[in-house]
Amino acid sequence: MEKLLVSCDELAGLLGAPSVRILDTRWPVGDGPAGRNLYRRSRVPGAVHLGFDATQAPGPQPPGRAADPATLAAALTDLGVGADSIVVAYDDNHQFTAARLVWLMRAHGFKRAFRLDGGWPAWLRSCGPVETGPISSRPGVTRPPLLSRTGSAIAGLEDVLAHQAAGLPILDCRRDSSWAEEPQLIPGATRLPMRVLVDSLGLHLPPSRIRAVATVAGIAADTPAIAYCGAAISAPAVWLALRAAGITGVRVYDGSITEWTSSGRPLVPATACRLGHSQTAQPPTAAPTGREDTDEAPGSETAGHR
């Protein structure tokens, strides 16, 4: 299985390594730029901040549209990320901006990008060191990261339409609060929010448990599927969780529900979806407290829709 997650213990062992770049991507719902103030106040030692705005295409594109690879590479270079860097990103484990960054970097060919499992709350619970005060200077980069235009994990509107025509799975990954505000789906979609893929502490379920949830949603290891949310923040978290569990056929629709509705296409109530694809996928049994299928450490939504 592909390694996409780093535990707090693994990150603690990577602190200070010259090849490691830690990216704080916190971008709170409703007031994203406040994430920069949270970063200035306290952070994982050595971290630099990358906002959601650096990962999205400029207007008039939909809010979640992926940034051009060259633009994203330039932003990463400014933060000291080079071609040989190992990137560990963390978020607040609610607005999954670190998962979005890892999804984009992986989609564009940079394979050494990882998300901190459980994000900043897990780091605090683990009693990991916290840096406050003045921010360290950013390291220089001699070779910028190589981000290609492959985009194999990114889907567009035409891909969603093709999936509809073929009866292939489409996943609505919006948070429950967003779903409550607008409880309608892209026709043919199944609800698969991130909450069913994590335990009570917000840590990813073991891969076998995630695969069981995916099976309920009609997704096997190589089933072609498309995930969406409101602005391609929650959907990348689901993509990452599934892929880390060995489910490799999922892509993220970066225009998401914002582009879908702005193009005049309909949403339908869950009851209007085909049988078996109208309810939220759930684990067959309660989540265990233990962990399994661990890997080695690397190198040792517009608010209302996401």
Side-chain angles (χ1 to χ4, degrees), residues 88-219:
V88 179
Y90 66 91
D91 49 41
D92 62 10
N93 213 38
H94 178 65
Q95 185 90 312
F96 298 107
T97 42
R100 174 183 169 87
L101 176 62
V102 171
W103 159 65
L104 284 176
M105 295 183 72
R106 295 272 181 153
H108 293 304
F110 192 98
K111 302 302 184 185
R112 294 177 303 281
F114 307 89
R115 178 178 181 259
L116 176 64
D117 192 10
W120 179 246
W123 183 254
L124 294 179
R125 286 197 308 270
S126 75
C127 297
V130 173
E131 182 179 73
T132 59
I135 297 169
S136 305
S137 60
R138 298 167 182 170
V141 170
T142 56
R143 290 196 304 143
L146 300 175
L147 301 185
S148 69
R149 293 182 178 273
T150 53
S152 59
I154 302 173
L157 176 60
E158 294 304 316
D159 298 308
V160 178
L161 295 174
H163 267 58
Q164 284 182 322
L168 293 170
I170 301 170
L171 306 174
D172 183 305
C173 305
R174 288 173 292 162
R175 294 188 307 264
D176 286 346
S177 57
S178 301
W179 171 253
E181 293 173 7
E182 189 171 45
Q184 298 189 93
L185 302 164
I186 290 177
T190 303
R191 281 282 291 154
L192 187 64
M194 185 62 181
R195 66 168 169 80
V196 302
L197 303 178
V198 297
D199 64 19
S200 60
L201 294 177
L203 300 174
H204 285 72
L205 294 175
S208 60
R209 301 271 314 143
I210 290 176
R211 290 191 293 269
V213 176
T215 298
V216 175
I219 300 172

Side-chain angles (χ1 to χ4, degrees), residues 8 11-12 15 22 24 26 37-47 90 116 119-136:
C8 291
L11 179 55
L15 294 180
I22 303 170
D24 182 322
R26 285 176 289 173
N37 293 329
L38 294 174
Y39 161 74
R40 293 186 187 101
R41 188 179 308 150
S42 58
R43 54 201 171 269
V44 173
Y90 66 91
L116 176 64
W120 179 246
W123 183 254
L124 294 179
R125 286 197 308 270
S126 75
C127 297
V130 173
E131 182 179 73
T132 59
I135 297 169
S136 305

Side-chain angles (χ1 to χ4, degrees), residues 43-97:
R43 54 201 171 269
V44 173
V48 293
H49 190 268
L50 182 77
F52 169 73
D53 50 357
T55 69
Q56 63 176 344
Q61 299 286 345
R65 179 76 77 212
D68 178 272
T71 302
L72 180 59
L76 292 167
T77 301
D78 287 344
L79 296 176
V81 176
D84 300 319
S85 296
I86 295 169
V87 173
V88 179
Y90 66 91
D91 49 41
D92 62 10
N93 213 38
H94 178 65
Q95 185 90 312
F96 298 107
T97 42

